[in-house]
Amino acid sequence: MSKSFPSGTVALRDASFHVAKGEFVFLTGHSGAGKSTVLRLIYAEHLPTKGRVHVSGFSTDKLKRREISRLRRRLGIVFQDFRLLEDRSAEKNVAFALEVTGAKRSVIVPKVMRVLAQVGLTAKARNFPSELSGGELQRVAIARALVNDPFVLLADEPTGNLDERASRGVFRLIRDINANGTAVVMATHNLDLVREGGYRTIELEQGAIVFDSAVDEQVAS
Amino acid sequence: MIQPLTNRWQAENRMNHAIREALLVFRRWPALSVLSVTTIAFALFVASLYSLVVINLHRTLQSIEERVEIVVYLLRGTPVEVATVAVREIEAFPEVASALYVTAAEALRRAQAELVEFQGIFSEFETNPLPASLEVRLRPGFRGSDAVRTVAERLRAYNFAEDVQYGGEWVAKLDRLRNIGGIVGLLIGGAFAMASIIIIGTTIRMAVMQRAPEIAIMRLVGATDGFIRRPFLVEGCIKGALGGAAALGLCYAAFAAINAFLFQAQFFTTAQSALLVGVGTALGLLASATSVRKHLHRV
């Protein structure tokens, strides 16, 4: 897939890769290398100008506008800046992702409690974003991403705004999520986490894939 | 049977969510909500105050129009029977609302009652100098100068008609006034309506823009356009209705002040008051629908 913008900027050029069910993939590279663009193409924020993206039965070349919401309900998305609603408590932020699917209240409440427990925030369920630390905010965002039982978690620099300790906590949580069967595609600058994780790593440079550890391993074997 | 029930439940659930979210906006952003409603109220107030002026002018014009009358003065000696038959004939004209036979004696009695300062002169008359007449009033819609002239010509054809008078000049002036009033009213009214629509549209748009991050998050977690749009539409309706009601209140205050200090005016009828609130609601809905649609197409 390739992605260029009307201004002429080429964000991604002929990048091609496949993520298997339950796999953990790091996207690395400098700022502007195209990591976020890859994620945006996966959750159909942008459509590729060349090529296509296949995600769980959805293909961007046939994707209709109304299908985008259905695709996103199958994904969990986490950002560096959390993107929480400031005027709602942690539990309401998480519940929000279920409300948009039209879920019943009787389903929403236990599910929200379950994911908040999973991210270790049961005690802060009623707290508002302004009352939470960076690490806690990211946990709320992860809980929101998890509440719809996604088959893949897309994380765009999830530790970018966190200190060392909070980063490790969030990363541990994401690893646990992956261990439970959810695929993870995580864009990061943090090479320590990449080294520590030991997962497949795709490196981007100026919009092109310059390294894919999976391919490297295949060649080696 | 399960599927339709589920669909109905989902539709109800979606609507309940939309109403709940719309009402929550007033609690989450009270200042912005009050500002929106106030702006809508004043935009509608200006337009509705103008409507009130137009309605009162129209009523005044109507009451003047009601005075449009054709008087047929009868030749002396015209038998009462002939005049009575003519009255029946004239009343059958499609343009005529009523025709009244006024005897010479009745004309004199009226003159004496209305022109008190000439009481002495009237008493000096040995014979009644006033002729009998037929007073013909016209139906609404036939009070324009052309219609009046046509009826007057037909009345003039009666052989007992000595003279026919209808104040041709002032009827023509009334016609011109009505036409000018109609055009000016339409132009100014159109300008006021346009200004109100733009102000309400901008106000609602600002409220939508203020919630752009929320809309972006909604889309990210998989909300459909309809799900995002519905609370905004309900909110637009509520703000429009509240603005309309507030405008009605302001209009009433202005009307009460005019009645107390200037002159007797008439207020909106219940139907017109309901229409004002309805227009506010519809404009709020329309402005929200347009703003959210534009916004959703961008994100």
Side-chain angles (χ1 to χ4, degrees), chain A residues 43 45 65 68-70 72-73 77 79 83-85 87-88 96-97 99-104 144 148, chain B residues 9-10 13 17 20-21 28-29 213-214 216-225 227 296-297 299:
Chain A
Y43 64 83
E45 168 96 7
R65 187 177 164 85
I68 294 176
S69 57
R70 276 170 40 212
R72 288 184 186 169
R73 288 177 196 182
I77 313 170
F79 296 93
R83 300 201 191 172
L84 298 173
L85 296 166
D87 59 335
R88 291 172 208 218
F96 186 62
E99 281 171 5
V100 305
T101 65
K104 280 186 185 178
R144 183 183 63 190
N148 273 320
Chain B
W9 175 81
Q10 280 181 335
N13 193 36
H17 175 268
R20 203 172 55 239
E21 284 295 312
R28 286 185 190 134
W29 293 290
E214 188 182 339
I217 293 169
M218 279 175 155
R219 295 218 67 187
L220 274 177
V221 296
T224 59
D225 286 355
F227 185 90
L296 284 176
H297 275 279
V299 293

Side-chain angles (χ1 to χ4, degrees), chain A residues 21 25 28 34 36 42 50 60 66 68 82 86 100 111 136 142 150 164 173 176 180 193 197 210:
Chain A
K21 198 174 173 186
V25 178
T28 63
S36 296
I42 296 174
K50 203 175 96 188
T60 52
R66 64 173 180 276
I68 294 176
F82 323 124
E86 291 297 318
V100 305
K111 259 193 147 179
E136 288 167 339
I142 291 170
E164 179 68 20
L173 180 60
D176 290 345
N180 287 328
L193 295 182
V210 291

